[in-house]
């Protein structure tokens, strides 16, 4: 089982809709969870992070964390074509040097 | 967010030569930096963890003698690809951790460096 799993997509949503991106992780001791956006040919940029169960909102983005079920999701409201990118879930697992493990990413396509 | 700068953004080198990529934290001190490699349409692959003042920790399967990492100061880590070959052509990305290592820290990425070995 991979440490961090994401559906590779592509996930296609119409402009203005809500995009829902999901991520599951295997290490129950994981502490911190991050969502990054990566445009083609560019390096990842941090969207938001979450540490506690529940929802965390930042503008059009909402991260949701459920540690009991070991999943974290990212909701993008009012999706725009500029949101089209690959979204990477990252999890800081427990252990010695606090290693961060990335999922393979979900490609999102927002259709105008 | 914190700024991590990477240089060069693009480099072309001849097969058999070495190339150095720099990663700098511009507005914070980074005791730990990470080096990733990403082939087209594939996910990030962690190559090594660079610790200031000590030897880097390499991931399984990464040749430490081929990918030399030096983290001589709190703001600079370098990756040198030695005796580069065409199969080393890839997108190399560094990142740095902001914070003391507990739950309250995040990782920021540099802009990445495209390496093409001809």
């Amino acid at each position: 089982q991979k440490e961090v799993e994401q559906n590779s997509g592509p996930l296609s949503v119409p402009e203005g809709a809500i995009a829902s991106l999901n991520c599951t992780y295997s290490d129950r001791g994981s502490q911190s969870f991050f969502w990054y956006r990566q445009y083609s040919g560019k390096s990842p940029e941090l969207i938001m992070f979450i540490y506690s169960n529940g929802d965390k909102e930042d503008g059009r983005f909402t991260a949701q964390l459920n540690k009991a079920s070991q999943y974290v999701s990212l909701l993008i409201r009012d999706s725009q074509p500029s949101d089209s990118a690959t979204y990477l879930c990252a999890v800081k697992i427990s252990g010695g040097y606090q290693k961060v493990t990335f999922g393979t990413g979900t490609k999102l396509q927002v259709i105008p | 967010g914190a700024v991590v700068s990477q240089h060069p953004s693009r480099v072309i080198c001849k097969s058999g030569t070495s190339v150095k990529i720099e990663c700098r934290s511009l507005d914070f001190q980074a005791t730990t930096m990470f080096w990733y490699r990403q082939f087209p349409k594939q996910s990030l692959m962690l190559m090594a963890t660079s610790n200031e003042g000590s030897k880097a920790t390499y991931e399984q399967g990464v040749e430490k003698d081929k990918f030399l990492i030096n983290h001589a100061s709190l703001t600079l880590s370098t990756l040198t690809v030695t005796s580069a070959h065409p199969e080393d052509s890839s997108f190399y990305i560094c990142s740095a951790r902001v914070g003391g290592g507990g739950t309250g820290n995040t990782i920021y990425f540099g802009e990445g460096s495209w390496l093409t070995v001809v």
Side-chain angles (χ1 to χ4, degrees):
Chain A
Q1 182 185 8
K2 293 181 180 178
E3 292 177 309
V4 180
E5 291 204 56
Q6 293 180 258
N7 188 318
S8 61
L11 172 66
S12 295
V13 300
E15 183 175 356
I18 296 175
S20 177
L21 304 160
N22 300 311
C23 171
T24 59
Y25 58 94
S26 60
D27 184 352
R28 199 168 273 281
S30 298
Q31 302 169 326
S32 309
F33 308 86
F34 309 86
W35 282 100
Y36 290 84
R37 176 175 60 197
Q38 186 176 24
Y39 292 110
S40 181
K42 302 292 185 182
S43 70
E45 55 180 321
L46 180 67
I47 297 175
M48 60 192 307
F49 52 84
I50 186 168
Y51 308 129
S52 305
N53 274 327
D55 295 359
K56 179 181 179 182
E57 187 174 318
D58 184 359
R60 295 187 296 114
F61 299 98
T62 299
Q64 299 175 318
L65 175 61
N66 184 323
K67 289 187 177 181
S69 300
Q70 295 177 238
Y71 83 78
V72 57
S73 61
L74 179 70
L75 301 178
I76 306 174
R77 290 183 299 281
D78 188 23
S79 296
Q80 301 297 308
S82 58
D83 294 327
S84 298
T86 296
Y87 289 80
L88 302 171
C89 169
V91 176
K92 188 164 66 176
I93 63 176
S94 56
Y97 65 98
Q98 303 276 307
K99 177 179 175 180
V100 174
T101 300
F102 285 83
T104 54
T106 298
K107 185 173 183 179
L108 173 66
Q109 295 177 337
V110 180
I111 311 300
Chain B
V3 179
V4 178
S5 177
Q6 209 172 319
H7 178 81
S9 58
R10 290 184 179 273
V11 58
I12 300 174
C13 71
K14 291 184 177 181
S15 184
T17 63
S18 297
V19 61
K20 180 186 288 187
I21 301 170
E22 294 185 346
C23 179
R24 295 181 183 274
S25 56
L26 297 186
D27 52 357
F28 65 99
Q29 293 183 331
T31 55
T32 304
M33 292 184 174
F34 305 89
W35 286 96
Y36 295 85
R37 180 167 58 183
Q38 187 176 37
F39 293 106
K41 298 185 178 180
Q42 294 189 24
S43 65
L44 293 169
M45 185 195 83
L46 178 65
M47 298 176 67
T49 301
S50 171
N51 301 297
E52 187 269 336
S54 65
K55 292 182 179 180
T57 303
Y58 289 83
E59 295 299 303
Q60 191 173 9
V62 178
E63 300 175 60
K64 62 181 180 181
D65 294 330
K66 181 170 180 64
F67 299 99
L68 301 179
I69 291 173
N70 185 290
H71 195 154
S73 77
L74 287 170
T75 59
L76 174 64
S77 176
T78 60
L79 168 68
T80 301
V81 183
T82 63
S83 186
H85 291 284
E87 57 264 31
D88 297 324
S89 300
S90 185
F91 190 41
Y92 291 86
I93 315 172
C94 74
S95 67
R97 181 166 63 201
V98 180
T103 57
N105 61 53
T106 55
I107 291 178
Y108 293 91
F109 285 88
E111 307 95 326
S113 299
W114 284 100
L115 170 64
T116 302
V117 184
V118 297

